[in-house]
Amino acid sequence: MSNTVTMFHNPRCSTSRTTLALLEERGVQPDIVLYLDTPPDSAQIKTLLKQLGFSSARQLIRTKEDVYKELNLAEASEQQLIDAMVKNPKLIERPIVISGEHARLGRPPEQVLDIL
């Protein structure tokens, strides 16, 4: 029995492309979610946080993005961070690979292999 593998992918990100190539080398053809075009909603982000084993939305947010500073998210609450990721999906760390009930952040790309 094989789980469907899903990948939150940004084709412009070299780490995301490397992670996709790593999956394909292992015969895995993930369902690709171009999350910048179809961002996850608040409930999906909360599910992702659980699947990733993250205790805080801050672990999933790209703090070096300009919009992070523009929105003054350094002191934001959990829900404010989640809302910011829904409205500004480029704040979401990438790539994310989901297999079954588990997810891994592909930083480094090899990290996703332990859930396959």
Side-chain angles (χ1 to χ4, degrees):
M1 184 179 110
S2 68
N3 287 323
T4 300
V5 175
T6 303
M7 180 175 171
F8 279 61
H9 180 51
N10 177 352
R12 295 182 62 202
C13 169
S14 62
T15 303
S16 199
R17 290 192 309 270
T18 300
T19 302
L20 179 57
L22 191 64
L23 292 172
E24 289 173 340
E25 283 168 16
R26 287 179 170 62
V28 177
Q29 293 296 323
D31 291 337
I32 301 293
V33 175
L34 298 174
Y35 69 94
L36 295 177
D37 299 331
T38 54
D41 63 22
S42 180
Q44 288 172 303
I45 289 176
K46 288 176 182 174
T47 297
L48 274 174
L49 291 169
K50 281 191 190 96
Q51 290 174 313
L52 287 160
F54 288 176
S55 58
S56 168
R58 198 165 297 284
Q59 292 172 272
L60 187 60
I61 205 158
R62 297 174 62 84
T63 57
K64 291 183 174 71
E65 289 291 336
D66 290 340
V67 71
Y68 180 85
K69 294 170 192 75
E70 289 163 16
L71 294 175
N72 202 18
L73 295 174
E75 301 298 320
S77 70
E78 281 293 298
Q79 192 58 52
Q80 288 169 323
L81 292 173
I82 290 168
D83 291 344
M85 286 188 273
V86 170
K87 291 184 185 101
N88 304 280
K90 73 178 181 177
L91 283 170
I92 300 170
E93 193 60 84
R94 63 189 180 250
I96 301 167
V97 174
I98 306 155
S99 178
E101 295 299 309
H102 302 285
R104 290 290 179 274
L105 195 56
R107 292 192 172 268
E110 296 74 23
Q111 204 164 263
V112 304
L113 298 178
D114 68 357
I115 61 168
L116 299 179

